[in-house]
Amino acid sequence: MHDSFDWATFAFTAFGALGTVAALIVAIVVGSRQLGQFRTDQKQRDLDQKQRDNDARRQQARCVSAILRVAGEASAHNHYQLGPKSLPAAERLLPSYPTTCEVMNASPWPIYEAAVQLHGASRVWLVGFVPGGENGHAHVAAQTDRKLDGCAAPHLYFRDAAGVWWTRTDEGDLFEVEGRPFHEVSSVDEGNP
């Protein structure tokens, strides 16, 4: 009797081995899917964290803006400026209005080396340090158009409390920039028109 083959034991053993292999394959498939889902979730968490870090870094910069303040009276010492050459000679003398640029820092932290630049000007006017919650200003080139009063300054540059440099356009676009955006110190004029 010992020489006879026990088919029932063989069948159960073979079935158990196949079940074990099938369970292993299912575990590998499910595990690889879960690993893939984990990696996808991790990538999304990393993107979300990067966005939160970016938002936190931009938080102060969003609170900084600048506007032009054009005086209502024409300047007594520089009453006229030459207009464009396309105008007839008699119409080329345009009244000029003293103008300041006001930099408003609505954040609780200070900004450093704030500077403004007007359209078409190579000159940059330095406002400098502006404490949190306060305004700074620079006297800029006199303007011939009173309609510019209250308009956004064409280019605003500043360094935030974390040392990051920013520039804001007159359309309100805010850009992080590498290093000091105005390089020529000779073109910076601290508050003098």
Side-chain angles (χ1 to χ4, degrees):
M1 292 275 263
H2 291 354
D3 289 341
S4 72
F5 190 69
D6 187 3
W7 285 101
T9 304
F10 174 75
F12 284 122
T13 304
F15 182 73
L18 288 175
T20 301
V21 170
L24 181 61
I25 291 171
V26 168
I28 289 172
V29 169
V30 170
S32 66
R33 285 188 180 170
Q34 287 182 341
L35 182 59
Q37 184 63 43
F38 175 78
R39 287 181 179 158
T40 302
D41 292 347
Q42 185 62 42
K43 284 180 186 177
Q44 186 61 46
R45 284 190 297 272
D46 290 346
L47 286 173
D48 292 345
Q49 183 62 44
K50 186 175 180 181
Q51 183 64 39
R52 282 191 299 275
D53 292 346
N54 189 33
D55 288 345
R57 192 173 62 251
R58 294 177 71 86
Q59 181 181 5
Q60 181 184 12
R62 284 190 197 112
C63 298
V64 179
S65 61
I67 59 171
L68 294 175
R69 297 289 187 194
V70 181
E73 297 291 327
S75 171
H77 62 85
N78 187 20
H79 193 70
Y80 294 98
Q81 289 185 9
L82 287 177
K85 291 183 179 182
S86 61
L87 290 174
E91 296 177 22
R92 285 190 63 211
L93 289 178
L94 302 172
S96 65
Y97 302 95
T99 306
T100 58
C101 186
E102 188 173 356
V103 175
M104 297 164 289
N105 180 7
S107 79
W109 306 284
I111 60 171
Y112 305 92
E113 297 185 76
V116 293
Q117 185 175 21
L118 303 179
H119 281 299
S122 61
R123 200 167 169 183
V124 175
W125 286 270
L126 187 64
V127 176
F129 174 79
V130 181
E134 295 189 22
N135 298 348
H137 73 279
H139 297 281
V140 298
Q143 300 296 303
T144 58
D145 188 356
R146 282 269 308 123
K147 293 177 188 168
L148 292 174
D149 185 45
C151 290
H155 297 284
L156 167 64
Y157 309 107
F158 63 95
R159 186 168 45 91
D160 67 14
V164 177
W165 277 98
W166 299 91
T167 184
R168 183 183 292 281
T169 67
D170 58 348
E171 294 177 1
D173 296 328
L174 184 64
F175 300 100
E176 183 176 340
V177 293
E178 288 290 324
R180 189 177 193 197
F182 49 96
H183 300 290
E184 297 179 26
V185 176
S186 62
S187 69
V188 176
D189 188 351
E190 295 189 16
N192 298 321

